[in-house]
């Protein structure tokens, strides 16, 4: 055998083994559930990155308009006629009381029929011609429905048309919404409760509606969660970027105070410590209560002014049955029921004409502690706009709606064209009333002193039958009638002053004591350092919901 050949083995290169990669989280379980990890990018299910908003959220407010009593004698017959004449008050649970077509639902204090949303408004106004045709067809097919609709108002009529009328060129809610950064975000609440409604009840009603509305519209996360996410999601919504403005009229003022409390209660449950609330009080109704002595003095003066016994028997029922007496008004009730009421007062501006004193809506005036865009000299201390002195009269304040305009057409600009010859001047009405009142009192004194007869008897013979007819004419009657006629004109003018901040709220011709300015202008001026708006984002104007409850 030959010698075997030795095979030399070449050294093999060393195999490098990579160390096993450590799991970022030990013992991790394969799971598709998203876990928040601040050190990693936010990844949605499926691996798609979320596009987060940068910077601040959009500044967009809400505005809520709360109407007063809806006094249409046709559309709201049950509340205007039946309840008034029969002394029925639905909120008291009186038997056979009627809600009427437009008053609030007392059986369901959160009824959505008592709210009107921007979405409903858009739907109702999307195609008005089509809607009218549709309504005509329905009423033609169902006559009973036509009768029902004649005595009922649609939501659009109840809410939008309460505020937007020919006198303000149908621009009232639009102008307010634009100023308070709430364009296209207008909401409406129903504040109509009928005569003899108690402001304390309306506040409670408003609280429930406000809380319900807040839950439906204010979709904020809780404040602690917001603070956690904010560094990574800077566009998150927060209350300070969505100020809520509440504009109230007449009976709606008490409801609005309750609404504000309800909204703040919702924010408090979400643990927010800052909120933006603006309040506008127009033509305050039942601002404060009467003392017994105040009411008796008020009633005595009013009954004296009415003069005519027949008139007293009808209108004086308001006084004789004490229908206008209230022991507590908004200020007293809110002081008892709202912790932080004075703080909430600081968030609003009020405007009530000093001749806004018509009998059916007394008591009226101001709430002390709320910034006043109209009165500043204690006008609200007087229950009547003027007093008759022994020989003349005295108007207590210059802050009256003196020019009551009759409109011709829509005109141009912010002012509607008027029929100048039909313009009513309130001070002239007071002068006329004083004149006939003093004449009545003078004649009454003459009769009592024997200087004139109480009545005269006239005998006349008919030309055809030849029958003698005896007539008795009471001397004082025509003087009484003159007083009643003059008083009726004052009543109508003072009722016009009650609707004035809304109907004439944009007109720059009605404020004699502020030439060239409107009610809205006065409110904006007074609220310049009060209202929280995009142009005035002062953190000092924010309030802590926990301090108002």
């Amino acid at each position: 055998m030959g010698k075997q050949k030795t095979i030399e083995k070449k050294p093999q290169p060393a195999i490098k083994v990579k160390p096993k990669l450590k799991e970022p989280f030990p013992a991790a379980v394969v799971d598709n559930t998203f876990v928040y990890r601040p050190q990693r990018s936010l990844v949605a299910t499926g691996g798609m990155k979320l596009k987060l908003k940068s910077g601040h959220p959009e500044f967009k407010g809400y505005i809520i308009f709360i109407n007063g009593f809806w006094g249409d004698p046709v559309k709201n017959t049950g509340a205007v006629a039946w309840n008034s004449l029969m002394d029925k008050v639905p909120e008291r649970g009186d038997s056979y009381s009627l809600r009427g077509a437009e008053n609030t639902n007392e059986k369901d204090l959160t009824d959505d029929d008592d709210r009107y949303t921007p979405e409903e408004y858009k739907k109702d106004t999307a195609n008005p011609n089509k809607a009218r045709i549709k309504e005509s067809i329905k009423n033609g097919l169902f006559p009973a429905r036509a009768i029902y609709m004649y005595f009922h108002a649609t939501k659009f009529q109840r809410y939008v048309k309460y505020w937007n009328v020919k006198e303000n060129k149908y621009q009232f809610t639009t102008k307010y919404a634009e100023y308070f950064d709430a364009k296209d975000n207008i909401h409406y609440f129903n504040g109509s409760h009928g005569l003899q409604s108690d402001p304390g009840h309306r506040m409670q009603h408003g609280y429930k509606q406000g809380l319900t509305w807040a839950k439906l519209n204010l979709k904020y996360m809780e404040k602690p969660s917001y603070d956690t996410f904010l560094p990574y999601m800077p566009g998150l919504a927060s209350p300070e970027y969505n100020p809520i403005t509440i504009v109230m009229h007449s009976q709606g003022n008490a409801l609005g105070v309750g609404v504000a409390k309800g909204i703040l209660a919702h924010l408090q449950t979400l643990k927010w410590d800052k909120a933006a609330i603006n309040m506008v009080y127009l033509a305050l109704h039942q601002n404060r209560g009467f003392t017994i002595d105040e009411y008796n003095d008020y009633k005595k003066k009013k009954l004296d002014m009415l003069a005519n016994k027949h008139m007293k028997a009808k209108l004086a029922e308001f006084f004789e049955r004490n229908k206008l007496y209230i022991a507590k008004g908004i200020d007293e009730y809110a002081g008892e029921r709202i912790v932080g009421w004075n703080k909430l007062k600081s968030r609003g501006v009020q405007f009530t004409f000093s001749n806004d004193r018509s009998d059916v809506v007394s008591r009226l005036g101001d709430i002390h502690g709320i910034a006043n865009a109209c009165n500043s000299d204690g006008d609200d201390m007087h229950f009547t706009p003027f007093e008759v002195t022994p020989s003349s009269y005295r108007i207590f304040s210059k802050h009256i709606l003196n020019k009551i305009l009759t409109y011709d057409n829509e005109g141009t600009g912010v002012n509607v064209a008027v029929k100048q010859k039909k313009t009513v001047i309130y001070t002239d009405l007071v002068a006329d009333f004083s004149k006939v009142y003093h004449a009545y009192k003078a004649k009454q004194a003459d009769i009592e002193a024997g200087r004139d007869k109480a009545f005269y008897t006239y005998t006349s013979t008919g030309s055809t039958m030849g029958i003698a007819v005896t007539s008795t004419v009471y001397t004082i009657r025509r003087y009484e009638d003159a007083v009643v006629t003059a008083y009726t004109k004052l009543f109508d003018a003072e009722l016009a002053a009650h609707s004035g901040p809304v109907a004439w709220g944009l007109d720059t011709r009605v404020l004699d004591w502020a030439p060239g300015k409107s009610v809205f202008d006065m409110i904006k001026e007074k609220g310049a350092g009060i209202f929280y708006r995009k142009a005035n984002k002062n953190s000092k104007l924010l309030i802590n919901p926990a301090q108002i409850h």
Side-chain angles (χ1 to χ4, degrees):
M1 291 179 63
K3 188 176 180 181
Q4 291 183 344
K5 186 176 181 181
T6 302
I7 299 175
E8 185 177 355
K9 292 183 178 181
K10 295 182 179 180
Q12 298 294 321
I15 298 175
K16 295 181 179 180
V17 179
K18 293 183 179 179
K20 186 177 181 181
L21 294 175
K22 293 183 178 180
E23 292 286 22
F25 291 87
V29 178
V30 177
D31 191 351
N32 289 325
T33 304
F34 170 74
V35 179
Y36 174 66
R37 294 170 183 162
Q39 71 272 31
R40 298 174 64 184
S41 299
L42 286 173
V43 180
T45 304
M48 182 170 60
K49 286 193 174 184
L50 296 173
K51 294 182 179 179
L52 302 178
K53 293 182 179 179
S54 60
H56 299 295
E58 179 187 7
F59 192 99
K60 187 171 182 61
Y62 296 90
I63 190 164
I64 299 171
F65 291 93
I66 307 177
N67 60 269
F69 179 58
W70 221 80
D72 190 312
V74 176
K75 298 292 187 182
N76 205 17
T77 304
V80 176
W82 174 262
N83 290 348
S84 301
L85 294 175
M86 302 304 294
D87 199 19
K88 301 293 183 181
V89 183
E91 69 194 44
R92 293 193 311 222
D94 293 351
S95 58
Y96 303 108
S97 62
L98 300 178
R99 173 186 176 184
E102 274 58 63
N103 279 4
T104 53
N105 186 350
E106 297 296 344
K107 295 181 179 179
D108 179 4
L109 300 187
T110 62
D111 189 355
D112 60 8
D113 187 57
D114 288 327
R115 299 188 305 273
Y116 189 53
T117 67
E119 291 73 26
E120 288 177 295
Y121 173 81
K122 289 177 183 177
K123 181 180 178 181
D124 290 343
T125 58
N127 195 329
N129 291 329
K130 182 179 179 181
R132 278 194 291 269
I133 294 172
K134 189 176 180 181
E135 280 295 301
S136 298
I137 294 173
K138 286 182 178 179
N139 292 338
L141 293 174
F142 306 100
R145 183 183 186 277
I147 296 173
Y148 175 85
M149 292 307 297
Y150 179 79
F151 288 102
H152 288 72
T154 63
K155 272 193 166 186
F156 181 86
Q157 291 171 326
R158 268 188 287 161
Y159 296 110
V160 180
K161 288 193 173 183
Y162 179 96
W163 299 92
N164 300 297
V165 294
K166 182 172 70 173
E167 289 84 347
N168 58 43
K169 293 191 68 178
Y170 311 101
Q171 291 293 305
F172 188 89
T173 56
T174 299
K175 294 296 184 183
Y176 270 79
E178 288 174 351
Y179 181 76
F180 286 104
D181 309 299
K183 185 179 180 181
D184 301 323
N185 203 13
I186 302 173
H187 298 252
Y188 298 88
F189 283 19
N190 188 7
S192 181
H193 281 67
L195 298 175
Q196 298 188 73
S197 171
D198 181 71
H201 167 79
R202 295 199 302 279
M203 286 174 58
Q204 181 62 20
H205 199 154
Y207 172 79
K208 293 193 174 184
Q209 280 285 15
L211 184 60
T212 300
W213 178 88
K215 290 178 179 178
L216 292 172
N217 290 276
L218 306 181
K219 303 294 186 179
Y220 304 117
M221 62 175 61
E222 290 190 352
K223 183 60 162 53
S225 299
Y226 171 88
D227 290 337
T228 300
F229 281 90
L230 184 62
Y232 314 101
M233 304 174 69
L236 284 176
S238 67
E240 62 185 295
Y241 285 91
N242 304 126
I244 300 165
T245 300
I246 305 172
V247 181
M248 308 150 280
H249 179 249
S250 189
Q251 286 191 344
N253 284 282
L255 194 97
V257 172
V259 167
K261 180 183 176 183
I263 291 171
L264 292 171
H266 174 66
L267 293 175
Q268 184 180 354
T269 61
L270 297 179
K271 301 179 177 62
W272 284 95
D273 56 359
K274 291 180 181 179
I277 294 282
N278 301 312
M279 309 279 283
V280 180
Y281 305 82
L282 301 175
L284 274 158
H285 175 52
Q286 296 174 324
N287 57 314
R288 292 184 290 122
F290 287 103
T291 66
I292 293 297
D293 290 341
E294 284 175 336
Y295 183 75
N296 287 336
D297 181 58
Y298 170 59
K299 181 168 70 172
K300 180 180 178 181
K301 289 179 179 178
K302 279 293 185 178
L303 292 177
D304 180 62
M305 290 173 70
L306 289 172
N308 185 283
K309 292 181 180 178
H310 180 66
M311 186 71 171
K312 282 184 182 181
K314 291 186 176 181
L315 185 57
E317 183 179 298
F318 285 116
F319 303 102
E320 293 303 324
R321 296 177 67 176
N322 296 329
K323 288 186 176 183
L324 302 179
Y325 175 75
I326 55 167
K328 297 177 183 179
I330 296 172
D331 202 15
E332 292 91 348
Y333 274 119
E336 294 174 357
R337 299 179 179 183
I338 301 178
V339 174
W341 168 229
N342 287 332
K343 182 69 175 176
L344 187 58
K345 282 182 177 182
S346 71
R347 301 302 318 122
V349 172
Q350 62 184 325
F351 191 108
T352 302
F353 285 111
S354 62
N355 61 334
D356 179 355
R357 298 292 187 276
S358 191
D359 297 325
V360 292
V361 289
S362 290
R363 172 181 182 175
L364 296 157
D366 305 324
I367 293 179
H368 294 180
I370 296 177
N372 205 321
C374 181
N375 305 329
S376 59
D377 53 8
D379 296 339
D380 65 296
M381 299 306 294
H382 303 287
F383 305 127
T384 57
F386 67 94
E387 66 176 354
V388 179
T389 62
S391 60
S392 185
Y393 63 92
R394 180 168 71 98
I395 296 176
F396 293 121
S397 171
K398 65 181 181 181
H399 301 121
I400 59 176
L401 177 63
N402 195 31
K403 296 175 183 175
I404 301 167
L405 309 177
T406 300
Y407 291 95
D408 188 15
N409 53 57
E410 296 186 23
T412 58
V414 295
N415 296 330
V416 179
V418 300
K419 297 178 181 179
Q420 295 293 342
K421 292 182 179 180
K422 291 191 175 183
T423 296
V424 175
I425 305 299
Y426 181 77
T427 50
D428 290 347
L429 297 182
V430 175
D432 291 343
F433 176 83
S434 175
K435 181 179 178 180
V436 297
Y437 176 86
H438 282 103
Y440 157 72
K441 286 295 185 181
K443 182 56 65 176
Q444 191 178 54
D446 287 344
I447 294 171
E448 292 174 354
R451 294 187 294 270
D452 200 348
K453 294 181 180 181
F455 59 88
Y456 291 88
T457 302
Y458 298 92
T459 302
S460 60
T461 302
S463 58
T464 55
M465 303 296 293
I467 299 174
V469 178
T470 301
S471 302
T472 300
V473 178
Y474 288 91
T475 308
I476 200 69
R477 180 58 56 83
R478 68 186 181 92
Y479 292 89
E480 291 176 332
D481 289 345
V483 170
V484 170
T485 299
Y487 184 89
T488 302
K489 292 179 180 179
L490 281 172
F491 179 95
D492 291 341
E494 290 171 8
L495 198 57
H498 188 58
S499 62
V502 175
W504 293 282
L506 306 179
D507 202 304
T508 60
R509 299 166 296 184
V510 297
L511 304 182
D512 289 352
W513 37 274
K517 295 181 180 179
S518 67
V519 172
F520 188 35
D521 291 332
M522 300 297 287
I523 289 171
K524 289 187 291 185
E525 285 184 14
K526 197 67 178 182
I530 296 173
F531 296 138
Y532 185 89
R533 303 164 49 241
K534 188 174 183 179
N536 188 30
K537 292 189 292 184
N538 186 343
S539 60
K540 292 181 179 180
L541 302 178
L542 300 172
I543 55 178
N544 187 343
Q547 295 177 352
I548 301 175
H549 57 88

